[in-house]
Amino acid sequence: MRLRNILIVVEDIEKSKKFYHDLFGLDVILDNEGNVILTEGLVLQEKTIWKNFLERDIISENNSCELYFEEKNIEAFVEKLDKLYPDIKYVNRLMTHSWGQKIVRFYDLDGHLIEVGENMKMVIQRFLNAGMTIEEISIKMDVSIMDLKKLEKS
């Protein structure tokens, strides 16, 4: 068995297609009137159709899951987010976790939680550029040296 797609329910398919294309570069693979499959396996489902399927209310901003993306230049991404979607609702503005990864969390147009994190390879490189040894990075990130080397090569 394989996980094929992640489906999220959206109010306005066109606005959501634009949002996910503008910020994440996701393109439409199949547009089937109320159901759109994007690259990377994300599916947009029109809210009215989904509500009829489930016969249940759709609850936005429920914080029970998130879409996670990685970005090489997190600061540039946040600038783009602020420029294209100045009214976006943040959960966490750009912050740095104890292990050194920079992340930002926000809701999409329909209240789905999104996290964009700095690519872990970039975190390691940033530490190396700052003069840290691989041993020091291992301690800082609480990751074995072997796993750090795997991440570096990924």
Side-chain angles (χ1 to χ4, degrees):
M1 183 181 302
R2 286 180 39 188
L3 175 63
R4 297 295 301 189
N5 298 100
I6 302 294
L7 182 145
I8 60 173
V9 177
V10 300
E11 191 75 42
D12 186 317
I13 290 266
E14 294 306 315
K15 284 183 182 177
S16 293
K17 286 190 314 191
K18 181 174 176 14
F19 178 86
Y20 282 97
H21 177 77
D22 288 351
L23 291 177
F24 306 105
L26 302 183
D27 294 317
V28 173
I29 294 173
L30 178 66
D31 190 337
N32 194 18
E33 296 182 35
N35 181 280
V36 175
I37 300 173
L38 302 176
T39 51
E40 304 297 327
L42 186 61
V43 177
L44 308 176
Q45 178 70 60
E46 191 174 272
K47 184 177 181 176
T48 54
I49 296 170
W50 190 247
K51 194 171 181 178
N52 286 336
F53 285 161
L54 287 186
E55 298 178 349
R56 303 262 193 290
D57 289 335
I58 308 303
I59 303 166
S60 68
E61 295 184 20
N62 65 23
N63 301 317
S64 63
C65 64
E66 72 176 13
L67 299 176
Y68 175 76
F69 296 87
E70 283 192 341
E71 173 62 45
K72 288 182 180 178
N73 188 337
I74 190 80
E75 289 85 359
F77 173 82
V78 171
E79 286 178 23
K80 179 169 70 169
L81 175 63
D82 286 337
K83 181 181 176 190
L84 296 176
Y85 296 92
D87 296 327
I88 206 73
K89 185 174 179 181
Y90 283 93
V91 175
N92 304 109
R93 291 206 174 255
L94 187 60
M95 61 176 279
T96 305
H97 282 297
S98 61
W99 58 89
Q101 184 188 31
K102 296 177 184 181
I103 65 105
V104 61
R105 282 191 189 93
F106 55 95
Y107 294 112
D108 76 357
L109 305 175
D110 294 283
H112 302 290
L113 184 59
I114 296 176
E115 177 179 340
V116 178
E118 182 181 25
N119 179 294
M120 293 306 290
K121 187 175 181 177
M122 301 304 292
V123 175
I124 296 165
Q125 192 59 55
R126 185 165 31 87
F127 287 150
L128 289 170
N129 291 345
M132 291 177 73
T133 66
I134 198 76
E135 292 80 11
E136 291 169 326
I137 296 170
S138 173
I139 292 166
K140 169 78 174 164
M141 295 181 75
D142 195 25
V143 175
S144 73
I145 291 171
M146 183 173 30
D147 286 343
L148 281 177
K149 289 182 179 183
K150 287 179 189 174
L151 280 171
E152 255 187 310
K153 293 178 181 174
S154 65

